[in-house]
Amino acid sequence: GFVENLSDGTVHVVAQGERTILETFVEKYLKVGPTFAKVTLVAVEWRAPVAPYTDFRIRFSGFFDRL
C-alpha cells in the first residue's frame, strides 16, 4: 500500500491485510498520528483489493517539486 500527504493537508492511506490488523493500525496509528500532529478526522472505507500490494511506500505527491 501507500501513504501520501495531499495538497489540502489530508493524508491518504491505502493498506491491505487482515481486517483485525488493519483495525489496529487505524486505532493505534492513524487516529493518533505522529508526535506534534493534530488528527481531527479519520475516515475509513473498506474495499475488496483491486491489485495486491507487496510493500508499503511513502508517496511524496510532488512535495519536493514545490521547494
Side-chain angles (χ1 to χ4, degrees):
F2 62 88
V3 60
E4 64 183 330
N5 293 319
L6 302 180
S7 61
D8 65 359
T10 60
V11 178
H12 182 213
V13 178
V14 174
Q16 295 176 346
E18 293 180 32
R19 186 168 181 132
T20 55
I21 292 171
L22 292 173
E23 288 170 342
T24 300
F25 176 67
V26 169
E27 291 299 320
K28 285 190 168 185
Y29 299 103
L30 299 183
K31 289 187 176 180
V32 175
T35 304
F36 304 114
K38 180 181 178 186
V39 178
T40 57
L41 173 70
V42 175
V44 177
E45 187 175 324
W46 300 100
R47 295 183 182 181
V50 176
Y53 288 103
T54 57
D55 59 5
F56 193 82
R57 296 178 184 256
I58 299 171
R59 290 188 180 175
F60 290 100
S61 304
F63 172 78
F64 291 105
D65 296 337
R66 295 189 304 267
L67 293 177

